[in-house]
Amino acid sequence: ETELAVSGFTLHKLLVQTQAEYIDWLCSNLKSGQVVGCDFQCFSLGQIEQFDRLFSEKGIILKDSGDLFETIWKDRPKLSEAAIYEHEVKFAGKSRKEKLKELRHEMEKAGADFILLSALDEVAHLLNLRGKDVECNPVFIGYVVVEKKNTILFINSRKITPELKIILEKDGISLMPYENISQYISSISNKKIWIDQSTMNAKLALALPKNSMIAKPSAVMLSKAVKNEKECKHIRQVMAKDGAALVKAF
């Protein structure tokens, strides 16, 4: 608060950490006809739809401002280029081929030609890969599109070693540049694309061809919640080690 005192910013402390109280504040303080801008890439489709509904009730207009910092943040750090690595089957309990086969079965039941994944934990889980792009989380920045026969990982190619690229190609996974995802999905026509509106960013979701979207919870998220025998075994081992560490600490 002291640092912000002369900055022109006013600190509003959240009463409930998980609630978007700023939306309530905007609805209470803005007048009908005024415009709220935000970067749709930073919010899920579900969030943007909720914001728009609440703003519309007050006559407030919601617009995608894009990333305004892109032009003014001259020394902005680049996205991580840390190499990703395999999460071995002895820990995962299932190969990526098995997981992709199960996912395609769920796609068929949902009537989907594609599924588009953006949640980093889902991407890592499905492909049995791990990374270091987020501090204290073994995930990496990327998108995955699973088709009926092919799988595409949109990622910075510098993060993939030549050896890992060969392994992925053998498993039917091809690579495309991370920034090409928008161009790729906008080129799809007469196909049904499954997305999870609670995790897919609104900018990408709204770029999908009209009437192509199947919006429902991700099958990968649901399957990830059900641990296999090997995963359960490793969780128990970790809990035993954690318990021993706590006993020593106290």
Side-chain angles (χ1 to χ4, degrees), residues 9 15 81 85 90 186 205 240:
F9 288 90
L15 299 176
E81 293 186 352
Y85 54 94
K90 67 179 180 181
S186 62

Side-chain angles (χ1 to χ4, degrees), residues 81-83 155-161:
E81 293 186 352
I155 193 171
N156 182 341
S157 60
R158 295 181 181 179
K159 302 170 66 62
I160 308 287
T161 64

Side-chain angles (χ1 to χ4, degrees), residues 114-116 143-147 150-152 154 181 184-185:
F114 300 79
I115 186 169
L116 172 58
Y143 294 99
V144 166
V145 171
V146 179
E147 304 172 356
N150 303 310
T151 303
I152 305 171
F154 291 83
I181 182 64
Y184 178 84
I185 63 168

Side-chain angles (χ1 to χ4, degrees), residues 37-43 63-71 76 203:
C38 67
D39 185 355
F40 279 21
Q41 194 165 359
C42 295
F43 295 91
K63 287 187 176 182
D64 180 11
S65 65
D67 184 3
L68 299 179
F69 290 100
E70 187 66 32
T71 56
R76 190 176 194 173
K203 195 178 192 72

